[in-house]
Amino acid sequence: MSKVRITQVKSTIDRPERQKLTIKALGLGKINRSVEKENSDAIAGMIRKVSHLVKIEEI
């Protein structure tokens, strides 16, 4: 599997609770925080839900 770097670029203030929980589950929570994850189907689905709040880079 390939890896992806996920960086939060927008705040979760005034966002639905589901999006806040998805950001937390990805290991994010503050702007400009980054995590590296394996690109599985589950992670891809989570990224799709909050794609407007994060930036994705293939590693």
Side-chain angles (χ1 to χ4, degrees):
M1 288 259 170
S2 62
K3 292 191 95 168
V4 291
R5 179 177 293 127
I6 309 163
T7 306
Q8 184 176 348
V9 294
K10 288 192 178 178
S11 173
T12 57
I13 295 174
D14 288 338
R15 299 290 176 186
E17 191 66 24
R18 290 180 64 120
Q19 291 177 10
K20 291 179 185 182
L21 292 174
T22 301
I23 288 287
K24 184 83 61 187
L26 284 169
L28 302 170
K30 293 185 177 184
I31 295 177
N32 291 328
R33 183 171 288 172
S34 295
V35 293
E36 293 182 6
K37 300 276 187 183
E38 291 289 332
N39 195 10
S40 66
D41 290 339
I43 296 296
M46 294 168 82
I47 291 170
R48 225 173 299 131
K49 277 186 144 183
V50 293
S51 62
H52 55 289
L53 302 176
V54 297
K55 179 179 76 170
I56 312 305
E57 301 170 48
E58 294 285 332
I59 300 178

